[in-house]
Amino acid sequence: MSHKRLLIPGPTETPADILQQQTRRLIGHRGADYTELYVGIIDKLGKYFESQQNRTVLTASGTIWMDITARNLVKKKALAGVCGAFSKRMYQTIGDAGKEVDPLNVEWGKAHKPEDVLQALAQDDYDTIALVHNETSTGVRNPIEEIGKAIKKEYPDIMFVVDAVSSAGGDYLVPEKLNSDLMFMSTQKCFAVPPGLSMAFYSDAALERAETITGRGHYTDLLAIHKYWLKKQQNPTTPNISLMYALSYQLDRMLAEGPQARYERHKSMAEYTRNWARKKMQMFPEPGYESVTVSTIANTLGKNIGDLNKELGKRDYQIANGYGDLKEKTFRIGHMGEWTLPEIKSLLWHIDDIWGE
Ligand SMILES: Cc1ncc(COP(=O)(O)O)c(C=O)c1O
């Protein structure tokens, strides 16, 4: 079977040597060998994200951190930024957990701005605010560092949660610079590791908040996860050891490239894609707030995106249609993980060729 190269916004193309790591023989997850592997991963995550914050790796995709947010951090009432499908999921998850939550809606394609967030926070007694950094459905990149600074200056005790699932490891993010209490991400996006693990950075204040809240669940109990780390430097439940091998290996590669260089590589792919798109159509995100990991292009020429993807498939490429209601109105090119500019140029050449342009 031919393989379509994945230029979708996750899972992204995973190099063979990373995949290969998963074929290593298993080890027991309560032994010294596993501790060494896991401590290595935790150290490397700290180095890559230039952070001293607490961190963990869970055997679950990134969405679990929405449940963890709801059950460990929201004491009474949260504000959740909603600027697309994934941030809407966070809003709904907090509500599903029986906690009070207000949405801070912006039109899809627009970004949250610090002044709007501050204004919304002033409306009620919120103890938590959750925002997505990179909204994968709209391709919008929220100015998360500016927002974080503004929030913590005015509301030092509020829990600031950042969904960095589709940006961390590609875009440049340092938890301390964001002032985040929780920042979470998934392996299948910019890490270019298969799906199944999620990583998170969390503050001491987040742990203090969790201590005051009951009903944290079992798998989703941040305090239990943290305490197990302190006691054993392992995970409370059986982890996906094969994926841990792959993650550890890839973190070495990411550190060799460096976070800044990785960001620059992603930026160059995003800028090239944007310039290409603007010559014929429009970008969907408002100018100045475009993602560096996924380009969402407004299909202003009314092209049939399903047909385009079929033709691309014959050339062993796959891009993504618009998400949900944005299907056919937009399409998305995921330039995340290990992709490089020459490969993006080649993909865009193929699209032009298919369209006869
Ligand atoms: C911004 C964002 N948040 C959350 C998720 C959910 O992550 P996962 O599929 O790892 O649970 C995604 C997945 O695409 C995402 O793009």
Side-chain angles (χ1 to χ4, degrees), residues 9 61-63 66 86 89 132 134 136 163 165-166 186 188-189:
S61 77
T63 303
M66 301 188 185
F86 293 101
R89 183 185 294 178
V132 66
N134 191 73
T136 321
D163 171 345
V165 165
S166 61
S186 305
Q188 77 275 16
K189 308 279 188 189

Side-chain angles (χ1 to χ4, degrees), residues 123-137:
Q123 305 305 310
D124 210 333
D125 203 9
Y126 298 110
D127 56 57
T128 303
I129 171 158
L131 292 173
V132 66
H133 175 224
N134 191 73
E135 177 48 73
T136 321
S137 56

Side-chain angles (χ1 to χ4, degrees), residues 9-295:
T12 192
E13 200 60 30
T14 301
D17 53 340
I18 300 178
L19 290 173
Q20 197 71 39
Q21 288 297 312
Q22 296 173 99
T23 65
R24 289 174 61 178
R25 304 299 295 265
L26 290 177
I27 51 174
H29 66 294
R30 293 290 173 237
D33 287 348
Y34 182 74
T35 304
E36 193 183 325
L37 172 67
Y38 189 58
V39 168
I41 290 172
I42 295 295
D43 282 352
K44 290 179 228 182
L45 282 171
K47 282 197 188 94
Y48 185 84
F49 287 93
E50 299 166 10
S51 176
Q52 306 290 324
Q53 268 194 356
N54 309 297
R55 44 207 180 266
T56 191
V57 183
L58 290 190
T59 296
S61 77
T63 303
I64 194 159
W65 289 96
M66 301 188 185
D67 289 288
I68 292 177
T69 296
R71 301 184 76 158
N72 292 261
L73 302 184
V74 183
K75 195 164 170 67
K76 196 157 177 297
K77 189 162 189 183
L79 181 68
V82 178
C83 58
F86 293 101
S87 43
K88 188 173 171 194
R89 183 185 294 178
M90 172 65 96
Y91 163 68
Q92 288 171 332
T93 305
I94 296 173
D96 285 347
K99 305 283 173 87
E100 274 185 79
V101 57
D102 284 339
L104 169 57
N105 288 301
V106 293
E107 192 189 326
W108 290 25
K110 297 268 187 319
H112 292 293
K113 314 284 163 38
E115 55 279 15
D116 301 337
V117 174
L118 285 184
Q119 204 184 5
L121 283 174
Q123 305 305 310
D124 210 333
D125 203 9
Y126 298 110
D127 56 57
T128 303
I129 171 158
L131 292 173
V132 66
H133 175 224
N134 191 73
E135 177 48 73
T136 321
S137 56
T138 61
V140 164
R141 176 185 193 245
N142 285 312
I144 208 75
E145 217 176 292
E146 288 97 306
I147 294 175
K149 252 187 218 125
I151 292 173
K152 281 289 164 162
K153 193 159 165 260
E154 297 278 327
Y155 302 94
D157 297 330
I158 208 164
M159 287 291 115
F160 179 35
V161 178
V162 177
D163 171 345
V165 165
S166 61
S167 50
D171 207 333
Y172 182 72
L173 287 168
V174 176
E176 280 86 341
K177 287 191 184 160
L178 304 187
N179 286 288
S180 56
D181 292 288
L182 173 63
M183 179 182 103
F184 61 92
M185 51 202 126
S186 305
T187 41
Q188 77 275 16
K189 308 279 188 189
C190 305
F191 283 71
V193 169
L197 299 178
S198 55
M199 295 71 71
F201 285 79
Y202 53 95
S203 68
D204 290 339
L207 293 169
E208 283 160 26
R209 171 65 65 82
E211 267 171 18
T212 69
I213 297 176
T214 53
R216 298 188 298 269
H218 188 98
Y219 207 81
T220 51
D221 184 353
L222 183 61
L223 270 187
I225 293 165
H226 185 71
K227 282 181 184 160
Y228 214 90
W229 162 255
L230 291 182
K231 196 165 129 208
K232 294 256 173 116
Q233 289 81 55
Q234 294 172 353
N235 314 96
T237 58
T238 318
N240 186 326
I241 297 159
S242 310
L243 278 173
M244 293 285 182
Y245 282 137
L247 177 60
S248 176
Y249 178 86
Q250 169 64 344
L251 280 168
D252 285 333
R253 288 174 40 138
M254 288 168 68
L255 280 165
E257 184 178 7
Q260 198 64 43
R262 257 180 110 75
Y263 166 64
E264 294 298 334
R265 178 165 57 77
H266 280 79
K267 195 156 101 65
S268 70
M269 293 189 287
E271 280 169 357
Y272 189 91
T273 307
R274 257 176 244 156
N275 289 336
W276 171 86
R278 284 193 184 119
K279 280 189 195 128
K280 48 189 92 224
M281 304 188 191
Q282 282 168 21
M283 290 300 292
F284 186 69
E286 65 175 308
Y289 297 93
E290 301 93 346
S291 163
V292 300
T293 59
V294 54
S295 290

